[in-house]
Amino acid sequence: MQTTFSIGEVAQRFALPISTIRYYDKQELIPDLVKDPSGNRIFSQKNIATIEMIQCLKLAGMQIKDIKIFIQWCLAGDATLQLRKEMFEELKVSLEQKMQQLNDTLDEINFKRAYYGKAVNDGTEKYVQEMSAAEVLAEHQLMK
């Protein structure tokens, strides 16, 4: 099993531009990242795990400045365990709210798909406008 990786391998693994990984390093988001005598970054499994966490936190909507604070807390050790736990609790609530918003948006899109599907089939919006949302969606389900 490979124990170290080049920046190109890391970029490919995460589908990230090399410049992004360099940016993470310059922002001190990848602790203990070593360079070879030529100045090339050499990534360890621990560095890879850190980048995985960065990507997860970014996907969850966290900004780089806040990810940097989290990394600093990790480096500070056990004294920051409660802070890190609270951060993830808050992140969970935030994600659940975003997921609900996305589900509400998806519901509206599905309704509009059904609405316009019926209108196209009828050749007019006249009849579908007189239907309730539940009727439109129920008829759409029958047409599938």
Side-chain angles (χ1 to χ4, degrees), residues 81-140:
L81 285 172
Q82 185 63 35
L83 291 170
R84 289 181 269 165
K85 179 184 178 289
E86 290 169 4
M87 182 202 81
F88 279 103
E89 294 295 337
E90 291 170 12
L91 193 57
K92 178 183 181 287
V93 169
S94 173
L95 274 177
E96 287 172 343
Q97 290 171 345
K98 287 178 187 176
M99 288 172 64
Q100 184 58 54
Q101 290 171 340
L102 286 173
N103 280 327
D104 293 345
T105 301
L106 184 58
D107 288 345
E108 182 65 21
I109 288 169
N110 283 331
F111 168 73
K112 291 298 185 183
R113 286 179 54 234
Y115 176 96
Y116 287 112
K118 169 101 174 102
V120 167
N121 284 343
D122 292 347
T124 181
E125 284 185 86
K126 180 180 174 186
Y127 305 115
V128 73
Q129 287 175 339
E130 297 170 0
M131 298 172 70
S132 70
E135 291 171 323
V136 172
L137 290 168
E139 189 168 317
H140 182 73

Side-chain angles (χ1 to χ4, degrees), residues 1 6 14 20 22 44 48 62 69 71 85 118 121 124-125:
M1 181 177 179
S6 70
F14 291 99
T20 298
R22 287 186 182 126
S44 67
I48 297 295
M62 189 176 280
I69 291 169
I71 298 292
K85 179 184 178 289
K118 169 101 174 102
N121 284 343
T124 181
E125 284 185 86

Side-chain angles (χ1 to χ4, degrees), residues 35-40:
K35 294 183 180 177
D36 69 13
S38 301
N40 297 313

Side-chain angles (χ1 to χ4, degrees), residues 48-65:
I48 297 295
T50 299
I51 295 171
E52 286 172 346
M53 179 55 61
I54 293 167
Q55 292 302 97
C56 174
L57 295 173
K58 280 183 57 188
L59 191 58
M62 189 176 280
Q63 296 181 358
I64 292 292
K65 66 181 180 67

